[in-house]
Amino acid sequence: MSAGPAGAAGEGAARRIVVAPDSFKGTVDAAGAAAAIARGWLAERPGDDLVLRPMADGGEGTIDAFAAAVPGAERVPVTVSGPVAGAPEVATAWLRLPDGTGVVELAATSGLHLVDPLRPEDAHTVGFGQAIVAALEAGVERLLLGLGGSASTDGGAGALTAMAAQFVDESGRPVDPGSRGLDQLARVDLTGLPPLPPRGALILGDVTNPLLGPTGAAAVFGPQKGADAETIPLLEHRLERLVALVPDGARLAAADGAGAAGGTGFGLLAWGAEMGAGSRLVADAIGLADATARADLVITGEGRYDGQSEAGKAPTEVARLAREAGVPVALVAGAITAEPAGFEASVALTALAGSSAAAMVDPVAWLEAAGRALARTQG
C-alpha cells in the first residue's frame, strides 16, 4: 500500500511503516485492523509508504493470514458440528497449501464467537476434530493446527472423539461432549485415532500455559469462556480426571502449550502432534522479517494486551523481529492492562474513546484515531 510521492507528506521525508496487527477478536479482523490504522496514519502523513502485513498467532485469522500470504492456497469448505449441543452446524473451511499442507483453525470451527450465551461447561471441540478428519481424508501431507479463541475447556476430548477416540463412562457409553461430560469419564481409548500425516502435525499455539494449575487452562482462560469462581474448580477437576486416564497424561499436561484452547493442546499432544509457535510460523509465511528490516517503524496490535501477551501472542513476535532489525515498534490495543515493555509507543482504544464500551461501538473509527495519534508522535 503506497500513498504517493514523498513530496505529498507533511513535514519531513516520507517513511516506510509496516502495520502488522493481530485481529481485535470479536470486533475487527487483522486485515481490517491493519487497514484502519493505515488510514489514520495516512490522514496525518499522506506521503508515507504503508506496508500492511496482517498477523495471527494460531487463533482467529490464522487461515486468513496464510491464505493472503501463500500463492495458490485453496479454501476447502467443510460443515461441522456447532460448539454446543443443539447449536446450528458451522459452515467453514480448512486451507490447502500448494505443498500439501492443510491448515485447520479451531476458532473457525469451535470458536468463542460461535457461542451466545457462553456455556463453559458444555462447549466442546467436536467440530474442530471433524475439520481435521476432513483434511486427513483429503490426503494432506502435513497439518498446521491453529489453536486459540476456543469456547470450551474439554481438554481436546471433543476433537479426539470426532477422530475416533473413545471417552466412555463406567457402563461403556460415550460421555457427553464438553467439560461436564468428563465428570462421568471412566476410560479413554486412543487406539482408534488416525495416524499422523506423513510430515506430521504441528500445533500453532498462541500461549505456553500448561494444562493444570494456577497458570493452566481453567484458571487462566476459563473466565473468558464464561466460567465464574464456582465453575473454574469444576473445570480443573474434570481436566485432572482426563489427565489421569490418558496414557502419559501427567507429562503431556505439563508441556508448554498443553493448556492452549481450553486444553486442546493437551489432546493434540496425546495424538502425537508437536507444539510450535503459531505467531512465528505465520510471520515466516507472510515475509514479515523482510518487510520489517526495510521499515522505519513497525506498528502491531491486538484486542487486549495483558499478562498473556508475552507468551507467544502475535504482537510479541512482531516486536521481536523489529528489535532484531533495529527498528522501533509501536503497539495499538483495545485495552492495555500490562506494561508494554519494549515498545516505543502504545495507544489503547479505551483511552482514546474514554471507555471500553465506547471503543466497542465503532472500533474501526478508534483504530483510525490510533493511527493518527501515532503518526503525530512517531511520524
Side-chain angles (χ1 to χ4, degrees), residues 4-363:
E11 297 183 1
R15 307 181 72 208
R16 183 181 180 89
I17 313 299
V18 171
V19 187
D22 197 352
S23 64
F24 284 58
K25 293 180 175 57
T27 56
V28 186
D29 63 21
I37 293 169
R39 286 195 299 272
W41 182 283
L42 290 171
E44 296 289 330
R45 292 183 56 90
D48 284 349
D49 182 21
L50 275 288
V51 178
L52 309 190
R53 290 289 186 272
M55 266 290 286
D57 52 22
E60 182 182 351
T62 296
I63 281 180
D64 291 339
F66 275 100
V70 180
E74 174 194 4
R75 294 179 190 268
V76 182
V78 63
T79 299
V80 302
S81 298
V84 292
E89 291 186 322
V90 179
T92 182
W94 59 276
L95 190 71
R96 192 199 319 263
L97 304 184
D99 70 351
T101 296
V103 185
V104 186
E105 179 187 308
L106 186 146
T109 58
S110 308
L112 193 66
H113 67 287
L114 299 172
V115 182
D116 186 18
L118 299 178
R119 293 171 57 183
E121 296 188 79
D122 302 306
H124 56 73
T125 53
V126 171
F128 181 52
Q130 291 170 337
I132 292 173
V133 170
L136 289 172
E137 291 179 344
V140 297
E141 297 182 7
R142 181 175 71 141
L143 279 172
L144 299 180
L145 303 171
L147 302 192
S150 73
S152 65
T153 310
D154 72 349
L160 296 184
T161 297
M163 297 166 65
Q166 295 184 38
F167 296 81
V168 300
D169 62 17
E170 289 285 0
S171 66
R173 291 190 299 261
V175 300
D176 291 334
S179 172
R180 199 188 306 272
L182 299 179
D183 269 333
Q184 308 304 317
L185 187 62
R187 184 170 61 87
V188 174
D189 183 355
L190 305 182
T191 59
L193 289 173
L196 295 167
R199 293 193 284 125
L202 188 64
I203 301 165
L204 307 187
D206 61 351
V207 299
T208 56
N209 303 64
L211 180 65
L212 303 173
T215 60
V220 175
F221 307 116
Q224 73 185 30
K225 306 175 198 299
D228 58 21
E230 293 182 358
T231 306
I232 289 172
L234 296 176
L235 301 179
E236 179 79 2
H237 171 72
R238 293 160 183 164
L239 291 175
E240 291 172 348
R241 189 181 187 96
L242 176 64
V243 168
L245 294 169
V246 168
D248 204 18
R251 181 185 66 84
L252 297 175
D256 287 351
T264 306
F266 169 78
L268 294 175
L269 288 171
W271 177 38
E274 297 182 358
M275 190 65 65
S279 56
R280 188 160 300 187
L281 285 164
V282 173
D284 288 345
I286 65 176
L288 186 59
D290 180 63
T292 298
R294 295 179 288 115
D296 296 298
L297 175 71
V298 176
I299 302 172
T300 186
E302 63 180 341
R304 182 180 183 86
Y305 187 88
D306 56 21
Q308 300 173 28
S309 297
E310 288 294 325
K313 298 287 189 177
T316 302
E317 175 64 14
V318 176
R320 182 188 69 82
L321 291 173
R323 285 193 290 269
E324 287 183 355
V327 176
V329 59
L331 172 72
V332 176
I336 298 175
T337 60
E339 178 62 30
F343 293 94
E344 295 293 317
S346 60
V347 179
L349 305 191
T350 53
L352 292 176
S355 69
S356 177
M360 292 285 284
V361 171
D362 193 352

